[in-house]
């Protein structure tokens, strides 16, 4: 049934509520021109259609408060059913005087049903606080009460009030309608015209009120009200039509989507004017009607009620309007105070928000530790083109040397505080207006404004000297150094290009020995490009078997027997032989030293197997710091030994002093642990280039060291008596004696003359290595040499292919 009604409504030419409203008004107009009992019968069609429309609307629209609408349907249906009964009786008997009087009383039950329904509409209950709407509705009811008194009660109420029961029922019904009027007015004052469904309900209540009032006035006048304009007066016809309009408006309201509810009316100029117009009409219509209906005779005799009722009513209206005005003023004052408070709070919130935005911007552009600008801030400052004639600028890229060691040794809190001190010193060195930023870790950057190249280099020198001074952090004296790259900036230079070039200059400063300044020049780009190309080719060198191994003998200085060989890496690139000092640094930077070192280790172990089995010659292999700190270094070494069939005693791993002691405390401990594990498998450990690094008796005593290889700087001895010769002999003697006292075998490196070999042997050094005894050669040549008699020292310079290499072997890593 409901689905059928929805399909029928969907085929209408317009909104269902509007179609019903127009059709209902047209039928009402037709009723008004049909005379006699046919008009009476047709008159009852409209109420029935109105009730049917309300039922369909409630079932189709599913209103927010369905119970309220069912009560409204009950009220209208009760009225329509009663009127059908009245009309049927009238048609049967043919005389309205013969219709029972009690039917008029049955009509009156409509008003409590409607009142209950209106009270149940969303937020229209008296328990739902809305003081202004309640007061406004009360003003309307009081005003209408005065109008009723002027038109009806003044002339009807008296000693003979019970003489005419029909009129008494009509007057009582009029009074009961005030409850409906009150709830309808409250509904309109709350929602205004924003909800069309509720506006139609309000208009229907107004039509019903007009109909009730005109019916009562007509009944008290000639006692024979009619329906058709052809049967009665204009006022009586309007009253009859108003009842039909009431049903049409209620039916249209139920069909409107607004039955689902809406928010309260938003204050507006139109709503305020409409409310004011209602107050003017309500407060004046009663008194004016009283004046128009008051007809004194030649001798004016005024009853007490004729003055008391209008005066009291007007007083009540005035009191309520004044109370309404006072309440409105009070509300306005409270709202003004609230607005002032909210304005102050909003101003405070805006101030706090502005401060928060500044704080967030500062945090987004500054380093939280040092308070200096961060990379984003530095890039922004660098991208800002200076104004004026002097636009010369320079960028200093600063990297701390030795910070990682201090951070690992003393802990991160000390390292953080050290960075704070570094930032302060940088701010003290540069000028006001220059930008200092921390880019991350221990890397800082400076933008110098309006400086020449000489001035920029001078400031960079100040930075190096300032950071080389002792830092006192948490009671500790810490020393670090700094490398600085300088890049001059032109107006047209891009920021990323400037940063890249400054990094190249910084890299050049660190490669040159650190703790110094380098200025960018275009040749650095060429060098960088060469390094990138070299790195790319080096990536494929292992897979192409281009990394080869050469071996240099280690001999006994007493009888020149070969006791060991050192494996040295060479790169036979397609373009020719590449020496270690060219590709090893690149391999270190790119991490390729790990696969290269593993390749050399495995190849050397395989080559050394027959040498160890037949002659007891052990193998020395260099291991880099990056390899030593890898978690798989122990398994890598042991796997290489197992694959070659060598015991651990056949291998000596060589490491530089900086490899063991240069990293931070954590990394050094990890390396020492790995060496201890290797020694447990028989592998021995040699310190390479001893004397050039830390050279501490303490670490020789504490670290897992088995052999000491003395750097060539201390082995170039001669029999001369000059101070330099005597100093070298003294240093060599001290190192040899130190090794002897610790029972550590010593190997003298880079021996090139018999004079140096004899001097070292005289100092007590047992073993030696260098071009005097043999240059690095392929495995086939070293094997043949081991099968011959002891090596005969041959003082000579290295061949041409070795001249580009340093005189001492370069480690693989």
């Amino acid at each position: 049934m409901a689905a059928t009604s929805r399909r029928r409504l969907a085929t209408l030419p317009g909104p269902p509520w509007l179609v019903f409203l127009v059709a209902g008004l047209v039928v009402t107009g037709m009723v008004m021109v049909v005379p006699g009992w046919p008009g009476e019968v047709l008159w009852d069609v409209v109420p029935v259609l109105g009730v049917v429309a309300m039922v369909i609307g409630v079932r189709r629209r599913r209103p927010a408060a369905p119970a309220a609408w069912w009560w409204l349907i009950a009220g209208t249906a009760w009225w329509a059913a009663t009127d059908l009964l009245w009309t049927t009786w009238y048609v049967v008997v043919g005389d309205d005087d013969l219709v029972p009087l009690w039917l008029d009383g049955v009509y009156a039950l409509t008003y409590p049903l409607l009142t209950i329904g209106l009270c149940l509409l969303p937020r229209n209950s008296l328990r739902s606080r809305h003081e202004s709407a309640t007061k406004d509705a009360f003003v309307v009811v009081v005003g209408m009460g005065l109008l009723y008194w002027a038109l009806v009660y003044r002339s009807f109420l008296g000693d003979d009030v019970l003489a005419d029961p029909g009129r008494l029922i009509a007057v009582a019904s009029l009074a009961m309608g005030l409850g409906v009027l009150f709830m309808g007015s409250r509904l309109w004052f709350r929602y205004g015209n924003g909800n069309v469904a509720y506006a139609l309900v309000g208009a229907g209540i107004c039509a019903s009120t007009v109909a009730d009032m005109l019916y009562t006035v007509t009944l008290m006048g000639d006692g024979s009200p009619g329906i058709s304009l052809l049967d009665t007066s204009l006022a009586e016809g309007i009253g009859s039509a108003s009842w039909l309009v009431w049903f049409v408006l209620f039916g249209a309201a139920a069909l409107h989507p607004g039955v689902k509810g809406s928010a309260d009316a938003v204050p507006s100029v139109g709503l305020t004017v409409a409310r004011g117009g209602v107050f003017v009409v309500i407060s004046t219509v009663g008194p004016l009607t009283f004046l128009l209906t008051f007809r004194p005779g030649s001798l004016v005799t005024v009853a007490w009620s004729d003055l008391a009722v209008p005066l009291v009513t007007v007083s009540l209206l005035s009191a309520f309007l004044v109370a309404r005005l006072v309440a409105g003023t009070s509300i306005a004052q409270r709202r003004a105070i609230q607005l002032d408070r909210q304005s102050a709070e909003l101003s405070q919130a805006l101030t706090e928000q502005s401060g928060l935005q500044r704080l967030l911007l500062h945090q987004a552009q500054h380093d939280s530790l040092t308070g200096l600008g961060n990379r984003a801030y530095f890039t922004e400052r660098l991208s800002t083109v200076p104004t004026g004639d002097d636009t010369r600028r320079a960028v200093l890229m600063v990297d701390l040397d030795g910070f990682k060691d201090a951070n690992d040794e003393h802990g991160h809190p000390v390292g953080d505080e050290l960075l704070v001190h570094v930032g302060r010193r940088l701010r003290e060195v540069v000028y006001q207006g220059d930008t200092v930023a921390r880019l991350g870790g221990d890397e800082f950057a400076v933008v110098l404004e309006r400086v020449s190249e000489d001035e920029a280099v001078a400031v960079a020198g100040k930075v190096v000297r300032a950071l080389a001074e002792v830092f006192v952090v948490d009671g500790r004296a810490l020393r670090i150094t700094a490398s600085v790259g300088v890049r001059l900036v032109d107006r047209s230079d891009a920021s990323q290009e400037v940063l890249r070039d400054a990094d190249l200059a910084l890299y050049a400063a660190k490669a040159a020995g650190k703790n110094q300044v380098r200025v960018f020049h275009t040749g650095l780009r060429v060098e960088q490009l060469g390094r990138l190309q070299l790195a790319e080719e080096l990536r494929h060198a292992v897979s192409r078997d281009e990394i080869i191994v050469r071996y240099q003998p280690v001999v006994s200085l007493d009888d020149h027997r070969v006791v060991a060989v050192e494996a040295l890496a060479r790169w036979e690139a397609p373009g020719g032989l590449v020496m270690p000092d060219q590709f090893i640094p690149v391999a270190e930077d790119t991490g390729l030293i790990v696969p290269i070192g593993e390749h050399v280790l495995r190849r050397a172990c395989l080559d050394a197997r027959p040498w160890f089995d037949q002659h007891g010659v052990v193998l020395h292999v260099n291991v880099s710091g990056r390899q030593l700190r890898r978690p798989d270094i122990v398994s890598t070494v042991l796997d290489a030994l197992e694959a070659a069939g060598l015991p651990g005693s056949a291998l000596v791993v060589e490491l530089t002093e900086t490899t063991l002691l240069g990293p931070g405390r954590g990394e050094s401990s990890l390396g020492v642990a790995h060496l201890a594990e290797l020694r447990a498998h028989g592998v021995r450990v040699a310190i390479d280039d001893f004397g050039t690094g830390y050279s501490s008796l303490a670490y020789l005593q504490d670290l897992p060291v088995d052999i000491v290889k003395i750097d060539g700087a201390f082995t170039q001895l001669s029999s001369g008596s000059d101070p330099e010769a005597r100093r070298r002999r003294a240093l060599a003697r001290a190192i040899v004696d130190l090794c002897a006292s610790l029972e550590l075998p010593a190997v003298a490196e880079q021996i090139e003359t018999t004079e140096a070999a004899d001097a070292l042997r005289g100092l007590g050094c047992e073993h030696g290595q260098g071009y005097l005894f043999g240059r690095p050669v392929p495995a086939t040549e070293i094997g043949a040499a081991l099968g011959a008699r002891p090596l005969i020292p041959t003082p000579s310079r290295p061949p041409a292919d070795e001249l580009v290499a340093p005189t001492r072997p370069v480690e693989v890593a």
Side-chain angles (χ1 to χ4, degrees), residues 98-264:
L98 299 178
V99 178
L101 188 61
W102 56 266
L103 278 178
D104 290 340
V106 174
Y107 280 103
L109 293 177
T110 297
Y111 301 108
L113 296 175
L114 294 179
T115 303
I116 294 173
L118 292 171
C119 186
L120 293 178
L121 286 173
R123 300 196 299 279
N124 199 45
S125 171
L126 292 176
R127 291 178 296 181
S128 177
R129 294 181 59 83
H130 199 296
E131 296 178 358
S132 61
T134 302
K135 292 177 180 178
D136 294 345
F138 195 82
V139 170
V140 172
V141 171
V142 171
M144 288 302 297
L146 179 58
L147 178 62
Y148 289 174
W149 184 85
L151 291 177
V152 178
Y153 299 146
R154 183 172 63 90
S155 58
F156 177 75
L157 297 177
D159 297 335
D160 57 346
V161 64
L162 300 177
D164 189 348
R167 293 186 179 185
L168 180 61
I169 292 174
V171 172
S173 298
L174 195 64
M176 295 175 67
L178 289 175
V180 178
L181 181 63
F182 174 80
M183 297 306 300
S185 300
R186 193 173 185 274
L187 184 71
W188 182 82
F189 283 124
R190 180 150 198 168
Y191 290 100
N193 296 325
N195 189 313
V196 177
Y198 294 162
L200 291 172
V201 170
I205 293 173
C206 292
S208 173
T209 302
V210 170
D212 289 344
M213 184 174 58
L214 292 178
Y215 171 80
T216 305
V217 171
T218 303
L219 187 63
M220 294 181 62
D222 57 19
S224 56
I227 294 176
S228 171
L229 292 176
L230 302 178
D231 294 336
T232 184
S233 65
L234 178 62
E236 295 167 351
I238 293 175
S240 298
S242 297
W243 268 317
L244 299 184
V245 171
W246 162 38
F247 282 96
V248 171
L249 291 173
F250 266 45
L255 292 171
H256 195 276
V259 296
K260 295 182 178 181
S262 64
D264 290 354

